[in-house]
Amino acid sequence: MGDRLTAKRKGELLELSAHLGVEFKDLTLLHEALIHSSYANEAKEKNIVHNERLEFLGDAVLEIVVSDYLYRNRVKSSEGELTKLRASLVCEPTLADCAKEISLGDFIKLSHGEDINGGRERKSILSDAFEALIGAIYLDGGLECAGKFIKERLLSDIEKKQLFFDSKTSLQERVQGKGM
């Protein structure tokens, strides 16, 4: 990782970690989770690692934790209902809202251009950072720690978040309903 943690950045990360209720053994994982590719690309000579690999891992952890939670807590729901609910919980708008609730945008490192063009509020950047954060929590503290975080930050008010629904699933249902 070419981007060393300054005392200021370490302080910011410790503040975020305390706010999240997650104690990181390795703050560089949290730091990496908050590095947008635009920032890394802007400083190519420093060989900065961005958050896309952690996002990939976090997405998988999120899927398994949410699926397990729904399976155990929605025993009367069909597979189709569970799939639809899971899709509404792990979609970009929902994850971006979760990121906003914890002020994650304040901690993301962006390129200058991305920053001045509203990147800290962009749903895609926020949801990706939220997934990367989950990946970092998983690597640092394991599945139990990541699951606890997901349950507290995403699944605690599931009925409210259920309002978002997967437009692809909705479209498929309409098309199939019309015999297409």
Side-chain angles (χ1 to χ4, degrees), residues 17-163:
S17 179
H19 175 65
L20 298 174
V22 178
E23 188 174 331
F24 277 84
K25 295 176 219 96
D26 182 0
L27 277 178
T28 60
L29 286 168
L30 177 56
H31 177 65
E32 183 181 323
L34 301 171
I35 302 291
H36 187 259
S37 59
S38 68
Y39 179 84
N41 291 335
E42 192 172 74
K44 279 187 179 177
E45 72 282 352
K46 292 183 182 178
N47 295 321
I48 296 171
V49 178
H50 54 75
N51 67 3
E52 290 176 1
R53 287 175 46 87
L54 282 173
E55 177 194 341
F56 165 79
L57 181 60
D59 178 58
V61 172
L62 185 60
E63 287 279 335
I64 190 66
V65 170
V66 171
S67 296
D68 180 74
Y69 178 87
L70 294 176
Y71 180 84
R72 294 176 189 278
N73 291 285
R74 300 289 178 119
V75 293
K76 294 184 179 184
S77 297
S78 69
E79 182 267 345
E81 292 167 331
L82 293 173
T83 299
K84 189 182 229 183
L85 181 53
R86 181 183 62 203
S88 73
L89 291 169
V90 300
C91 69
E92 184 178 282
T94 303
L95 298 180
D97 284 346
C98 289
K100 285 180 183 178
E101 287 173 11
I102 58 175
S103 304
L104 202 58
D106 295 345
F107 298 91
I108 299 173
K109 287 203 166 218
L110 299 167
S111 69
H112 178 70
E114 193 68 60
D115 196 12
I116 63 171
N117 286 313
R120 293 184 192 287
E121 295 297 318
R122 191 165 292 125
K123 288 182 181 190
S124 61
I125 290 174
L126 290 170
S127 65
D128 291 350
F130 191 77
E131 287 178 331
L133 173 62
I134 290 168
I137 293 169
Y138 169 75
L139 287 177
D140 192 73
L143 187 59
E144 187 175 328
C145 186
K148 181 178 183 276
F149 175 80
I150 292 166
K151 287 172 187 164
E152 289 172 358
R153 299 298 176 167
L154 177 68
L155 300 173
S156 61
D157 60 349
I158 196 169
E159 300 308 321
K160 177 182 162 194
K161 290 181 176 97
Q162 191 176 351
L163 296 175

